[in-house]
Amino acid sequence: MIDGSRYAVVDIGSNSVRLVVFGGPLRAPSVLFNEKVMAGLGRSKDGGLDPAAMKRTLVALARFRSVAALYDIDSPHTVATAAIRDASNGKDFLEQIAQIGLNVTLLSGEAEAEAAGYGVIAGFDRADGIVGDLGGGSLELARIADGQILKRISFPLGVLRLPEIRARGPKALDRHFVKLIKANGWAGAGAGLPFYLVGGSWRALAKVHTHLTQHPLPILHNYAMPPQAASRIARAVARFDRSTSQYDGIVSASRQPAMADAAAMLITVVNRLKPASLVVSTTGVREGLVYQQLSAHDRRLDPLIVAARVEAARQGRFAEHGDLLHDWMTSLFSGESDADARLRHMACLLGDIGWAANPEFRAERGLEFTLHGDWHGIDARGRAMVSQALFTAFGGGNARPLILTQLATAPDLDRARLWGLAIRLAQRMTGGTAAPLKASAINASDGVLTLSIDPIMFTLIGEAVNRRLRQLATAMGMTSTVMTN
């Protein structure tokens, strides 16, 4: 059973061993603690696990067990993957782990692919494509759509195994991959679809790409690249000289040795599965294991809105205010897409998080919190629009912060600024409370922006409210008026 507030996953992989403690609603969990040890269980060449790697793993697991206990978690969800699954002494090692007090589930290749697929479903809004999870011992593929795993498979193509394959010749990896996907019905399976990159080795490559392109947002989740990026990354990695510390601060030292093999695998995937784009997912097997515990109802919840609502309850003054605010202004934006309405909903939910900040820095707080927050189900454009809305709502005026102009178009930011002005008006009129929103309405018609309110609350319409109403009307190219309803 999961208590709904804290949940721990211990992932014993072929390359690394990791503990993640999650907190909050499991549809949009926050990471309370995250630690990995590069144990290298999959580096053995004789079919068995290396004794030194086993020892490092046992020491790490004993620590992880103790850390989980500090969070009052007695039984972390512990899983093992390809290295132990394929090792001749894997069963014996599982018995040693059991003596630490961890009950390990040995995932099959298909179960691992399924967990990775659900991890991507958990971290995106309506994910539809191919998931590729590159680990130390294996490559898992999963076809996902409509919240379901339609197809999945595991291949013995982890980064610890790729050097041996590539040593057979420059086209050996491609020939081997083609043979595997043809035999299992995966040839061209990604045509026209996004390919979701899961795993630390591929995330390291994505960091290289953000460095090459000087991408202004240092957040990898939902970072999208064209398929051609694989070749560009591979060329950059081929020129990489570890002695110069070229990627220090960009890629961790533990990931650097595997970058060339990971890049070769990515090029092979692009050439043979024909994806339309490459999209980074920082959610994978561990998040998928959490997602699999959810009810059918909770799986259908939007992770972005769930997370924003949690922050509204934690930082806002009145929990119901954000949802009411979203409904209150909807008539002004009737022509917007469902995707933009969802972003506006997020902005409204977060529209009261700045009240406790220093007044001189509220606008900056709104921008930073939404732009750099650990949000799932939102891309760079969406982050920029919500950030613009809160920057405006919290007193940023007509300014467009430079970083936002690099992530979204001028029309997108103009629309978001209107959201912000509407939030700013409502916050001044209501003081962040709910009752005035329920007793008032705002509409735009025939070039006039009309704020109507119940007569019993008409005294709320003071000079400051009228000024903010005029600001919103001017931005919309209208005049304004106030009336009782």
mmCIF file of all heavy atoms in Angstrom, residues 343-344 346-348 351 363 366-367 370 382-397 401 404 412-413 415-424:
data_model
loop_
_atom_site.group_PDB
_atom_site.id
_atom_site.type_symbol
_atom_site.label_atom_id
_atom_site.label_comp_id
_atom_site.label_asym_id
_atom_site.label_seq_id
_atom_site.Cartn_x
_atom_site.Cartn_y
_atom_site.Cartn_z
ATOM 1 N N LEU A 343 -2.776 26.040 -20.118
ATOM 2 C CA LEU A 343 -1.710 26.891 -19.587
ATOM 3 C C LEU A 343 -2.284 28.051 -18.788
ATOM 4 O O LEU A 343 -1.745 28.429 -17.741
ATOM 5 C CB LEU A 343 -0.838 27.404 -20.732
ATOM 6 C CG LEU A 343 -0.070 26.350 -21.538
ATOM 7 C CD1 LEU A 343 0.642 27.011 -22.719
ATOM 8 C CD2 LEU A 343 0.932 25.607 -20.663
ATOM 9 N N ARG A 344 -3.368 28.615 -19.279
ATOM 10 C CA ARG A 344 -4.012 29.712 -18.546
ATOM 11 C C ARG A 344 -4.526 29.215 -17.205
ATOM 12 O O ARG A 344 -4.446 29.920 -16.189
ATOM 13 C CB ARG A 344 -5.144 30.305 -19.392
ATOM 14 C CG ARG A 344 -5.927 31.404 -18.677
ATOM 15 C CD ARG A 344 -6.856 32.153 -19.634
ATOM 16 N NE ARG A 344 -7.748 31.257 -20.338
ATOM 17 C CZ ARG A 344 -8.892 30.767 -19.837
ATOM 18 N NH1 ARG A 344 -9.257 31.092 -18.601
ATOM 19 N NH2 ARG A 344 -9.660 29.984 -20.559
ATOM 20 N N MET A 346 -3.209 26.849 -15.418
ATOM 21 C CA MET A 346 -2.038 26.770 -14.550
ATOM 22 C C MET A 346 -1.671 28.152 -14.010
ATOM 23 O O MET A 346 -1.396 28.313 -12.810
ATOM 24 C CB MET A 346 -0.858 26.181 -15.327
ATOM 25 C CG MET A 346 0.437 26.100 -14.514
ATOM 26 S SD MET A 346 1.849 25.603 -15.535
ATOM 27 C CE MET A 346 3.164 25.582 -14.299
ATOM 28 N N ALA A 347 -1.676 29.150 -14.883
ATOM 29 C CA ALA A 347 -1.335 30.510 -14.451
ATOM 30 C C ALA A 347 -2.304 31.007 -13.387
ATOM 31 O O ALA A 347 -1.893 31.639 -12.399
ATOM 32 C CB ALA A 347 -1.328 31.450 -15.650
ATOM 33 N N CYS A 348 -3.587 30.705 -13.558
ATOM 34 C CA CYS A 348 -4.581 31.143 -12.579
ATOM 35 C C CYS A 348 -4.381 30.431 -11.238
ATOM 36 O O CYS A 348 -4.496 31.054 -10.170
ATOM 37 C CB CYS A 348 -5.990 30.885 -13.111
ATOM 38 S SG CYS A 348 -6.479 31.975 -14.463
ATOM 39 N N GLY A 351 -1.667 32.067 -9.499
ATOM 40 C CA GLY A 351 -1.798 33.518 -9.519
ATOM 41 C C GLY A 351 -1.716 34.196 -8.174
ATOM 42 O O GLY A 351 -1.712 35.434 -8.107
ATOM 43 N N ALA A 363 7.443 40.043 -9.339
ATOM 44 C CA ALA A 363 7.407 39.693 -10.769
ATOM 45 C C ALA A 363 8.497 38.675 -11.096
ATOM 46 O O ALA A 363 8.263 37.692 -11.816
ATOM 47 C CB ALA A 363 7.565 40.942 -11.623
ATOM 48 N N GLY A 366 7.537 35.220 -9.798
ATOM 49 C CA GLY A 366 6.585 34.527 -10.660
ATOM 50 C C GLY A 366 7.254 33.933 -11.877
ATOM 51 O O GLY A 366 6.969 32.797 -12.280
ATOM 52 N N LEU A 367 8.170 34.687 -12.472
ATOM 53 C CA LEU A 367 8.876 34.209 -13.655
ATOM 54 C C LEU A 367 9.748 33.007 -13.313
ATOM 55 O O LEU A 367 9.686 31.970 -13.977
ATOM 56 C CB LEU A 367 9.724 35.336 -14.235
ATOM 57 C CG LEU A 367 10.449 35.036 -15.557
ATOM 58 C CD1 LEU A 367 10.600 36.313 -16.375
ATOM 59 C CD2 LEU A 367 11.841 34.439 -15.309
ATOM 60 N N THR A 370 7.856 29.551 -12.253
ATOM 61 C CA THR A 370 7.193 28.777 -13.310
ATOM 62 C C THR A 370 8.159 28.363 -14.415
ATOM 63 O O THR A 370 8.016 27.286 -14.999
ATOM 64 C CB THR A 370 6.035 29.582 -13.925
ATOM 65 O OG1 THR A 370 6.490 30.903 -14.249
ATOM 66 C CG2 THR A 370 4.895 29.702 -12.948
ATOM 67 N N GLY A 382 5.258 26.563 -23.245
ATOM 68 C CA GLY A 382 4.274 26.666 -22.178
ATOM 69 C C GLY A 382 4.852 27.307 -20.931
ATOM 70 O O GLY A 382 4.204 28.145 -20.289
ATOM 71 N N ARG A 383 6.067 26.928 -20.570
ATOM 72 C CA ARG A 383 6.714 27.549 -19.420
ATOM 73 C C ARG A 383 6.847 29.051 -19.619
ATOM 74 O O ARG A 383 6.624 29.851 -18.694
ATOM 75 C CB ARG A 383 8.094 26.931 -19.199
ATOM 76 C CG ARG A 383 8.091 25.520 -18.630
ATOM 77 C CD ARG A 383 9.495 24.939 -18.589
ATOM 78 N NE ARG A 383 9.529 23.587 -18.065
ATOM 79 C CZ ARG A 383 9.714 23.254 -16.786
ATOM 80 N NH1 ARG A 383 9.907 24.211 -15.899
ATOM 81 N NH2 ARG A 383 9.721 21.998 -16.395
ATOM 82 N N ALA A 384 7.225 29.428 -20.844
ATOM 83 C CA ALA A 384 7.409 30.853 -21.123
ATOM 84 C C ALA A 384 6.099 31.616 -21.008
ATOM 85 O O ALA A 384 6.056 32.726 -20.453
ATOM 86 C CB ALA A 384 8.018 31.032 -22.510
ATOM 87 N N MET A 385 5.015 31.041 -21.517
ATOM 88 C CA MET A 385 3.732 31.742 -21.484
ATOM 89 C C MET A 385 3.221 31.902 -20.056
ATOM 90 O O MET A 385 2.754 32.982 -19.668
ATOM 91 C CB MET A 385 2.719 31.012 -22.355
ATOM 92 C CG MET A 385 3.012 31.086 -23.845
ATOM 93 S SD MET A 385 1.755 30.289 -24.870
ATOM 94 C CE MET A 385 0.355 31.413 -24.674
ATOM 95 N N VAL A 386 3.306 30.838 -19.263
ATOM 96 C CA VAL A 386 2.847 30.952 -17.881
ATOM 97 C C VAL A 386 3.740 31.915 -17.108
ATOM 98 O O VAL A 386 3.265 32.704 -16.276
ATOM 99 C CB VAL A 386 2.805 29.565 -17.214
ATOM 100 C CG1 VAL A 386 2.390 29.692 -15.751
ATOM 101 C CG2 VAL A 386 1.838 28.640 -17.955
ATOM 102 N N SER A 387 5.032 31.892 -17.391
ATOM 103 C CA SER A 387 5.953 32.818 -16.727
ATOM 104 C C SER A 387 5.628 34.258 -17.080
ATOM 105 O O SER A 387 5.657 35.144 -16.210
ATOM 106 C CB SER A 387 7.396 32.486 -17.128
ATOM 107 O OG SER A 387 7.769 31.212 -16.679
ATOM 108 N N GLN A 388 5.322 34.511 -18.349
ATOM 109 C CA GLN A 388 4.940 35.864 -18.751
ATOM 110 C C GLN A 388 3.672 36.309 -18.041
ATOM 111 O O GLN A 388 3.561 37.452 -17.578
ATOM 112 C CB GLN A 388 4.730 35.924 -20.266
ATOM 113 C CG GLN A 388 4.282 37.293 -20.778
ATOM 114 C CD GLN A 388 5.359 38.357 -20.681
ATOM 115 O OE1 GLN A 388 6.356 38.299 -21.398
ATOM 116 N NE2 GLN A 388 5.168 39.330 -19.805
ATOM 117 N N ALA A 389 2.704 35.403 -17.938
ATOM 118 C CA ALA A 389 1.441 35.738 -17.278
ATOM 119 C C ALA A 389 1.681 36.138 -15.823
ATOM 120 O O ALA A 389 1.160 37.159 -15.347
ATOM 121 C CB ALA A 389 0.485 34.553 -17.353
ATOM 122 N N LEU A 390 2.485 35.365 -15.103
ATOM 123 C CA LEU A 390 2.714 35.683 -13.697
ATOM 124 C C LEU A 390 3.634 36.882 -13.524
ATOM 125 O O LEU A 390 3.470 37.666 -12.580
ATOM 126 C CB LEU A 390 3.280 34.466 -12.970
ATOM 127 C CG LEU A 390 2.343 33.263 -12.843
ATOM 128 C CD1 LEU A 390 2.893 32.263 -11.841
ATOM 129 C CD2 LEU A 390 0.934 33.671 -12.452
ATOM 130 N N PHE A 391 4.595 37.037 -14.432
ATOM 131 C CA PHE A 391 5.454 38.224 -14.397
ATOM 132 C C PHE A 391 4.601 39.486 -14.518
ATOM 133 O O PHE A 391 4.789 40.464 -13.781
ATOM 134 C CB PHE A 391 6.463 38.153 -15.535
ATOM 135 C CG PHE A 391 7.438 39.299 -15.578
ATOM 136 C CD1 PHE A 391 8.550 39.313 -14.746
ATOM 137 C CD2 PHE A 391 7.245 40.369 -16.452
ATOM 138 C CE1 PHE A 391 9.452 40.372 -14.786
ATOM 139 C CE2 PHE A 391 8.139 41.425 -16.501
ATOM 140 C CZ PHE A 391 9.245 41.431 -15.657
ATOM 141 N N THR A 392 3.643 39.463 -15.426
ATOM 142 C CA THR A 392 2.737 40.604 -15.601
ATOM 143 C C THR A 392 1.815 40.746 -14.398
ATOM 144 O O THR A 392 1.611 41.851 -13.875
ATOM 145 C CB THR A 392 1.908 40.430 -16.880
ATOM 146 O OG1 THR A 392 2.790 40.350 -18.013
ATOM 147 C CG2 THR A 392 0.942 41.590 -17.074
ATOM 148 N N ALA A 393 1.238 39.636 -13.947
ATOM 149 C CA ALA A 393 0.281 39.680 -12.840
ATOM 150 C C ALA A 393 0.910 40.217 -11.566
ATOM 151 O O ALA A 393 0.242 40.890 -10.774
ATOM 152 C CB ALA A 393 -0.281 38.282 -12.592
ATOM 153 N N PHE A 394 2.189 39.949 -11.376
ATOM 154 C CA PHE A 394 2.865 40.362 -10.148
ATOM 155 C C PHE A 394 3.579 41.695 -10.286
ATOM 156 O O PHE A 394 4.433 42.037 -9.469
ATOM 157 C CB PHE A 394 3.865 39.290 -9.706
ATOM 158 C CG PHE A 394 3.237 37.967 -9.339
ATOM 159 C CD1 PHE A 394 4.015 36.828 -9.235
ATOM 160 C CD2 PHE A 394 1.875 37.852 -9.113
ATOM 161 C CE1 PHE A 394 3.456 35.604 -8.901
ATOM 162 C CE2 PHE A 394 1.299 36.636 -8.793
ATOM 163 C CZ PHE A 394 2.081 35.503 -8.678
ATOM 164 N N GLY A 395 3.243 42.453 -11.335
ATOM 165 C CA GLY A 395 3.743 43.823 -11.415
ATOM 166 C C GLY A 395 4.860 44.066 -12.391
ATOM 167 O O GLY A 395 5.536 45.099 -12.314
ATOM 168 N N GLY A 396 5.070 43.175 -13.348
ATOM 169 C CA GLY A 396 6.139 43.343 -14.328
ATOM 170 C C GLY A 396 5.844 44.328 -15.435
ATOM 171 O O GLY A 396 6.707 44.585 -16.285
ATOM 172 N N GLY A 397 4.626 44.881 -15.446
ATOM 173 C CA GLY A 397 4.265 45.879 -16.451
ATOM 174 C C GLY A 397 4.206 45.294 -17.847
ATOM 175 O O GLY A 397 3.788 44.145 -18.057
ATOM 176 N N PRO A 401 10.525 39.702 -20.558
ATOM 177 C CA PRO A 401 11.893 39.276 -20.217
ATOM 178 C C PRO A 401 12.551 38.571 -21.397
ATOM 179 O O PRO A 401 11.918 37.784 -22.107
ATOM 180 C CB PRO A 401 11.671 38.326 -19.045
ATOM 181 C CG PRO A 401 10.402 38.819 -18.405
ATOM 182 C CD PRO A 401 9.538 39.270 -19.556
ATOM 183 N N LEU A 404 12.203 34.826 -22.173
ATOM 184 C CA LEU A 404 10.900 34.379 -22.650
ATOM 185 C C LEU A 404 10.758 34.585 -24.151
ATOM 186 O O LEU A 404 10.126 33.770 -24.842
ATOM 187 C CB LEU A 404 9.783 35.111 -21.901
ATOM 188 C CG LEU A 404 9.802 34.983 -20.372
ATOM 189 C CD1 LEU A 404 8.560 35.623 -19.766
ATOM 190 C CD2 LEU A 404 9.914 33.525 -19.942
ATOM 191 N N ASP A 412 2.346 34.722 -28.712
ATOM 192 C CA ASP A 412 2.138 33.881 -27.532
ATOM 193 C C ASP A 412 2.305 34.700 -26.258
ATOM 194 O O ASP A 412 1.493 34.599 -25.321
ATOM 195 C CB ASP A 412 3.148 32.731 -27.514
ATOM 196 C CG ASP A 412 2.840 31.650 -28.529
ATOM 197 O OD1 ASP A 412 1.683 31.566 -28.981
ATOM 198 O OD2 ASP A 412 3.765 30.888 -28.881
ATOM 199 N N LEU A 413 3.357 35.492 -26.200
ATOM 200 C CA LEU A 413 3.618 36.281 -24.998
ATOM 201 C C LEU A 413 2.593 37.395 -24.827
ATOM 202 O O LEU A 413 2.241 37.759 -23.696
ATOM 203 C CB LEU A 413 5.036 36.837 -25.034
ATOM 204 C CG LEU A 413 6.153 35.785 -25.036
ATOM 205 C CD1 LEU A 413 7.522 36.464 -25.091
ATOM 206 C CD2 LEU A 413 6.062 34.873 -23.818
ATOM 207 N N ARG A 415 -0.550 37.154 -25.666
ATOM 208 C CA ARG A 415 -1.723 36.495 -25.095
ATOM 209 C C ARG A 415 -1.511 36.231 -23.610
ATOM 210 O O ARG A 415 -2.409 36.466 -22.790
ATOM 211 C CB ARG A 415 -2.016 35.191 -25.833
ATOM 212 C CG ARG A 415 -3.116 34.342 -25.199
ATOM 213 C CD ARG A 415 -3.445 33.134 -26.037
ATOM 214 N NE ARG A 415 -4.164 33.519 -27.243
ATOM 215 C CZ ARG A 415 -5.483 33.657 -27.313
ATOM 216 N NH1 ARG A 415 -6.225 33.443 -26.241
ATOM 217 N NH2 ARG A 415 -6.067 34.008 -28.428
ATOM 218 N N ALA A 416 -0.332 35.743 -23.255
ATOM 219 C CA ALA A 416 -0.043 35.462 -21.851
ATOM 220 C C ALA A 416 -0.085 36.733 -21.011
ATOM 221 O O ALA A 416 -0.495 36.703 -19.840
ATOM 222 C CB ALA A 416 1.313 34.781 -21.729
ATOM 223 N N ARG A 417 0.347 37.846 -21.605
ATOM 224 C CA ARG A 417 0.286 39.116 -20.873
ATOM 225 C C ARG A 417 -1.165 39.489 -20.559
ATOM 226 O O ARG A 417 -1.458 40.006 -19.473
ATOM 227 C CB ARG A 417 0.950 40.213 -21.696
ATOM 228 C CG ARG A 417 0.922 41.586 -21.028
ATOM 229 C CD ARG A 417 1.781 42.586 -21.770
ATOM 230 N NE ARG A 417 1.512 43.933 -21.293
ATOM 231 C CZ ARG A 417 0.644 44.779 -21.864
ATOM 232 N NH1 ARG A 417 -0.016 44.417 -22.957
ATOM 233 N NH2 ARG A 417 0.451 45.977 -21.351
ATOM 234 N N LEU A 418 -2.081 39.197 -21.457
ATOM 235 C CA LEU A 418 -3.502 39.447 -21.182
ATOM 236 C C LEU A 418 -3.985 38.584 -20.019
ATOM 237 O O LEU A 418 -4.758 39.053 -19.174
ATOM 238 C CB LEU A 418 -4.345 39.178 -22.425
ATOM 239 C CG LEU A 418 -4.128 40.103 -23.628
ATOM 240 C CD1 LEU A 418 -5.043 39.706 -24.772
ATOM 241 C CD2 LEU A 418 -4.353 41.566 -23.248
ATOM 242 N N TRP A 419 -3.549 37.328 -19.995
ATOM 243 C CA TRP A 419 -3.892 36.487 -18.842
ATOM 244 C C TRP A 419 -3.409 37.154 -17.558
ATOM 245 O O TRP A 419 -4.142 37.209 -16.569
ATOM 246 C CB TRP A 419 -3.236 35.109 -18.936
ATOM 247 C CG TRP A 419 -3.570 34.285 -20.132
ATOM 248 C CD1 TRP A 419 -4.593 34.478 -21.009
ATOM 249 C CD2 TRP A 419 -2.849 33.135 -20.594
ATOM 250 N NE1 TRP A 419 -4.564 33.509 -21.988
ATOM 251 C CE2 TRP A 419 -3.522 32.672 -21.761
ATOM 252 C CE3 TRP A 419 -1.728 32.457 -20.142
ATOM 253 C CZ2 TRP A 419 -3.068 31.554 -22.463
ATOM 254 C CZ3 TRP A 419 -1.277 31.346 -20.834
ATOM 255 C CH2 TRP A 419 -1.953 30.892 -21.986
ATOM 256 N N GLY A 420 -2.181 37.650 -17.591
ATOM 257 C CA GLY A 420 -1.608 38.270 -16.407
ATOM 258 C C GLY A 420 -2.361 39.514 -15.971
ATOM 259 O O GLY A 420 -2.573 39.732 -14.775
ATOM 260 N N LEU A 421 -2.770 40.327 -16.940
ATOM 261 C CA LEU A 421 -3.532 41.534 -16.599
ATOM 262 C C LEU A 421 -4.897 41.188 -16.013
ATOM 263 O O LEU A 421 -5.387 41.875 -15.100
ATOM 264 C CB LEU A 421 -3.692 42.419 -17.841
ATOM 265 C CG LEU A 421 -2.405 43.101 -18.334
ATOM 266 C CD1 LEU A 421 -2.651 43.773 -19.680
ATOM 267 C CD2 LEU A 421 -1.889 44.112 -17.310
ATOM 268 N N ALA A 422 -5.506 40.114 -16.537
ATOM 269 C CA ALA A 422 -6.793 39.680 -15.987
ATOM 270 C C ALA A 422 -6.620 39.153 -14.566
ATOM 271 O O ALA A 422 -7.445 39.428 -13.678
ATOM 272 C CB ALA A 422 -7.416 38.610 -16.888
ATOM 273 N N ILE A 423 -5.553 38.396 -14.328
ATOM 274 C CA ILE A 423 -5.263 37.924 -12.974
ATOM 275 C C ILE A 423 -5.014 39.113 -12.043
ATOM 276 O O ILE A 423 -5.522 39.161 -10.915
ATOM 277 C CB ILE A 423 -4.033 36.982 -12.978
ATOM 278 C CG1 ILE A 423 -4.352 35.690 -13.734
ATOM 279 C CG2 ILE A 423 -3.572 36.676 -11.551
ATOM 280 C CD1 ILE A 423 -3.133 34.807 -13.976
ATOM 281 N N ARG A 424 -4.262 40.078 -12.532
ATOM 282 C CA ARG A 424 -3.918 41.259 -11.725
ATOM 283 C C ARG A 424 -5.179 42.042 -11.346
ATOM 284 O O ARG A 424 -5.315 42.495 -10.203
ATOM 285 C CB ARG A 424 -2.949 42.125 -12.518
ATOM 286 C CG ARG A 424 -2.358 43.302 -11.751
ATOM 287 C CD ARG A 424 -1.199 43.894 -12.536
ATOM 288 N NE ARG A 424 -0.698 45.103 -11.922
ATOM 289 C CZ ARG A 424 0.107 45.140 -10.865
ATOM 290 N NH1 ARG A 424 0.473 44.023 -10.288
ATOM 291 N NH2 ARG A 424 0.538 46.287 -10.374
#
